[in-house]
Amino acid sequence: FSSVTSILNMSIFKDQFVLEDLIQELKKKSTALSFGPLQSNGHISVQGSFPAIKLLRDFLLVKAKSLSEKDKGEESKSHQRPRRRLQQHRLTTETSNFVYDADWEKQVVVLDTDIYHYMKHFYPRTFLVNDDVVISDITDGDITTVYIEKAGSRSDAEQVLKVKEKIENRSLKLHNVLRKERIYFEVQTGDEKRRYKRACASLRPHYPHVLIIPYDTHIDVVGNSSEVFEFIKEV
């Protein structure tokens, strides 16, 4: 995804934070994102790359969890809290705990398929794990979903989280620099396809950071914009 838009409902934080100050904190933390104006109902529009939006979501989940734990402590000390507030915070607690506990058992990272192929080819150590973690993937067109899970009951759940963060951080860096161009075969014949593939193979040593992905109808070329442009021109 080159750009996605998400609507955040920040109203759940209004009892603990000045929302304008919290938004400023988010802007400083997420410089790659563009924030719209804060609405009176606590909604705000955020636009940017999909990985950056996901990192923002994870940050907000951690903040929401810390608030829910604080509310648990306050509820145990006093039962004088108004009923509406109590119900609202119980809902926040249940939701954030469910997400947080699930994250410790299993992590999911959604990647652009081309970025996934690039990472697997040039940064294989990103997916290198020990016996405590299992990685699997499902590719559906332009999207590849990577699943990171504990290998057994004795596995360390923190390792799962670390692997997820390593993959996300690498994909975010690549998302900002990688470009893809497509070479369509002029004539759909075996000889034409072989000519293109031979041309790509002969040029590959001169462009060590360019990934070539052949398909039946075309060839995708992935890398930084200048190298991809020169490679396509030479082919």
Side-chain angles (χ1 to χ4, degrees):
F1 303 99
S2 58
S3 181
V4 293
T5 301
S6 177
I7 305 297
L8 300 182
N9 180 6
M10 304 297 291
S11 62
I12 64 167
F13 295 106
K14 66 182 180 182
D15 293 330
Q16 287 82 12
F17 297 101
V18 177
L19 290 187
E20 289 78 4
D21 293 343
L22 181 56
I23 297 299
Q24 289 302 317
E25 180 185 354
L26 297 181
K27 288 181 179 179
K28 290 179 181 178
K29 183 175 181 64
S30 307
T31 54
L33 295 175
S34 175
F35 291 80
L38 180 64
Q39 305 297 320
S40 58
N41 60 0
H43 290 193
I44 186 170
S45 172
V46 185
Q47 187 175 39
S49 71
F50 187 69
I53 292 274
K54 286 192 67 179
L55 289 176
L56 176 64
R57 181 202 64 173
D58 292 344
F59 172 75
L60 288 173
L61 282 175
V62 171
K63 192 170 281 290
K65 178 176 172 59
S66 67
L67 289 178
S68 66
E69 290 179 340
K70 178 182 176 183
D71 290 338
K72 278 183 183 178
E74 291 179 356
E75 286 174 16
S76 65
K77 294 177 183 178
S78 172
H79 299 284
Q80 305 304 314
R81 189 188 300 273
R83 188 174 185 82
R84 182 189 63 80
R85 284 278 304 280
L86 183 59
Q87 290 174 343
Q88 180 188 32
H89 285 280
R90 275 180 181 162
L91 179 63
T92 305
T93 301
E94 290 167 1
T95 304
S96 61
N97 278 348
F98 172 78
V99 173
Y100 189 81
D101 291 341
D103 283 350
W104 278 90
E105 296 297 324
K106 181 177 182 178
Q107 295 284 352
V108 178
V109 183
V110 181
L111 299 173
D112 177 276
T113 297
D114 295 313
I115 291 179
Y116 174 70
H117 286 318
Y118 197 90
M119 290 171 65
K120 289 277 285 186
H121 186 83
F122 290 107
Y123 300 94
R125 292 181 64 86
T126 305
F127 300 95
L128 187 63
V129 295
N130 55 30
D131 295 337
D132 295 331
V133 179
V134 175
I135 293 182
S136 58
D137 62 80
I138 297 177
T139 296
D140 182 12
D142 293 336
I143 301 300
T144 295
T145 306
V146 179
Y147 299 91
I148 309 110
E149 303 178 67
K150 290 168 57 177
S153 57
R154 295 185 178 181
S155 301
D156 186 357
E158 285 193 22
Q159 290 297 321
V160 175
L161 192 60
K162 287 179 180 178
V163 172
K164 179 203 175 191
E165 290 175 348
K166 181 169 66 173
I167 294 173
E168 282 189 330
N169 289 337
R170 175 63 65 185
S171 68
L172 187 59
K173 291 177 181 177
L174 292 176
H175 191 280
N176 294 328
V177 298
L178 290 184
R179 297 293 180 269
K180 178 178 78 172
E181 291 290 340
R182 181 164 289 176
I183 303 174
Y184 287 98
F185 300 129
E186 295 176 7
V187 183
Q188 296 297 323
T189 64
D191 183 59
E192 181 78 6
K193 294 176 183 179
R194 284 191 291 272
R195 285 175 55 208
Y196 272 105
K197 289 178 180 178
R198 283 199 301 269
C200 289
S202 66
L203 290 170
R204 190 195 300 269
H206 303 289
Y207 296 89
H209 301 296
V210 168
L211 178 64
I212 304 162
I213 311 174
Y215 294 95
D216 288 339
T217 58
H218 61 274
I219 296 174
D220 283 342
V221 183
V222 183
N224 72 54
S225 57
S226 61
E227 288 191 342
V228 166
F229 175 78
E230 290 297 328
F231 183 89
I232 294 288
K233 188 171 67 173
E234 289 200 44
V235 170

